[in-house]
Amino acid sequence: MLQVHSIETFGTHEGPGIRLVVFVQGCNFRCLYCHNPDTRPVKDAKGITSEEILELLEKQKPYFKEKGGLTISGGEALLQRKALIDLFTKAKKAGFHTTLDTNGSILDGDAKKLLEVTDLVLLDVKHIDPVWHMKVTNASNETVLQFAKYLEEAGKPIWLRYVLVPGYTDQTEFLEKWGQHFSTYKNVERVEILPFHTYGFFKYKELGIDNPLLDCPVPTQEKVQQALNIFKKYFKSVYIR
Ligand code: SF4
């Protein structure tokens, strides 16, 4: 049984084509810029079985065409990896493309089993520098980088994602390092830059929790372009989302 926060039936941002996107409840990071703070508490949410999700997939099948499928996002999907092994195994058996949107923070036996039934990984590497990663997410990037390496060695396709936040993740030196680090990875199909935005701010108010980036500006066009130019030196396909 998967603890689910919400479901988007016609998602177009979380992987290729049109997708059923399931946002799971619970996250082990505390990113300063999180735009889904309501998905973070690890608690009982709406429980959904693999069979119920398969039914939704079957209903949407005509819209998927050759590219679409199922994406699990969050929260952090790996926290529910056991349930996801069951779901992805069944979804693949039924012919659906499976995508895992993750912060890459867990790499144990079950995470590896889940990756065996995952077609594509959307991997957020939130900072290349360990000290800044800790500042931005309140968590280490050690396992994240190991997770990325594991995917590279397994030849598993990935889309790398990077949230660009003024003053936190837009340092030229670290953007270069980030690009250099992954430049030799043959499994990177694309890189996506996600400029920081304020759309989720109302949720902090609703939840009555402190919003640490309340006064943070969104990145200027120039800064976004600068990040794009840096990543383009290292990767063929770079997009701004
Ligand atoms: S990993 Fe995602 S859901 Fe978790 S705190 Fe960071 S932005 Fe929010």
Side-chain angles (χ1 to χ4, degrees), residues 50 58 81 103 111 116 135 144 183:
S50 299
E58 289 295 346
R81 55 203 179 284
N103 62 25
E116 281 172 26
K135 266 192 225 176
V144 181
S183 60

Short mmCIF file of all heavy atoms in Angstrom, two decimals, residues 50 58 81 103 111 116 135 144 183:
data_model
loop_
_atom_site.label_atom_id
_atom_site.label_comp_id
_atom_site.label_asym_id
_atom_site.label_seq_id
_atom_site.Cartn_x
_atom_site.Cartn_y
_atom_site.Cartn_z
N SER A 50 -1.41 -1.06 -5.51
CA SER A 50 -0.86 -1.12 -6.87
C SER A 50 -1.99 -1.35 -7.87
O SER A 50 -2.01 -0.77 -8.96
CB SER A 50 0.14 -2.28 -6.99
OG SER A 50 1.21 -2.10 -6.10
N GLU A 58 -4.70 2.00 -16.84
CA GLU A 58 -5.44 1.39 -17.95
C GLU A 58 -6.41 2.41 -18.56
O GLU A 58 -6.55 2.50 -19.76
CB GLU A 58 -6.19 0.14 -17.48
CG GLU A 58 -5.30 -1.05 -17.16
CD GLU A 58 -4.56 -1.63 -18.37
OE1 GLU A 58 -4.90 -1.30 -19.52
OE2 GLU A 58 -3.60 -2.39 -18.14
N ARG A 81 9.97 2.53 -1.07
CA ARG A 81 10.51 1.69 -2.15
C ARG A 81 9.94 0.28 -2.18
O ARG A 81 9.81 -0.31 -3.25
CB ARG A 81 12.05 1.67 -2.10
CG ARG A 81 12.65 1.26 -0.76
CD ARG A 81 14.05 1.83 -0.64
NE ARG A 81 14.70 1.50 0.62
CZ ARG A 81 14.43 2.10 1.79
NH1 ARG A 81 13.49 3.02 1.87
NH2 ARG A 81 15.09 1.76 2.88
N ASN A 103 15.26 12.19 -4.96
CA ASN A 103 16.44 12.94 -4.54
C ASN A 103 17.65 12.02 -4.40
O ASN A 103 18.73 12.46 -4.01
CB ASN A 103 16.16 13.72 -3.23
CG ASN A 103 15.83 12.81 -2.04
OD1 ASN A 103 16.20 11.64 -2.00
ND2 ASN A 103 15.13 13.36 -1.06
N ALA A 111 16.19 -0.35 -2.85
CA ALA A 111 16.29 0.74 -3.83
C ALA A 111 16.82 0.19 -5.16
O ALA A 111 16.33 0.54 -6.23
CB ALA A 111 17.19 1.85 -3.29
N GLU A 116 15.66 -1.75 -10.89
CA GLU A 116 15.59 -2.79 -11.93
C GLU A 116 14.28 -2.70 -12.72
O GLU A 116 14.23 -3.08 -13.88
CB GLU A 116 15.70 -4.19 -11.31
CG GLU A 116 17.13 -4.56 -10.98
CD GLU A 116 17.19 -5.87 -10.20
OE1 GLU A 116 16.27 -6.70 -10.34
OE2 GLU A 116 18.16 -6.04 -9.43
N LYS A 135 23.37 22.83 3.61
CA LYS A 135 22.68 24.09 3.91
C LYS A 135 21.33 24.16 3.19
O LYS A 135 20.34 24.61 3.73
CB LYS A 135 23.51 25.27 3.38
CG LYS A 135 24.44 25.87 4.39
CD LYS A 135 24.97 27.20 3.84
CE LYS A 135 26.47 27.28 4.09
NZ LYS A 135 27.11 28.46 3.54
N VAL A 144 23.55 10.65 -2.62
CA VAL A 144 22.99 11.14 -3.90
C VAL A 144 24.02 10.91 -5.02
O VAL A 144 23.67 10.41 -6.11
CB VAL A 144 22.65 12.65 -3.81
CG1 VAL A 144 22.06 13.13 -5.13
CG2 VAL A 144 21.71 12.93 -2.65
N SER A 183 29.61 15.23 -16.59
CA SER A 183 29.85 15.38 -18.04
C SER A 183 30.24 14.06 -18.73
O SER A 183 29.99 13.89 -19.91
CB SER A 183 30.93 16.43 -18.30
OG SER A 183 32.12 16.03 -17.67
#
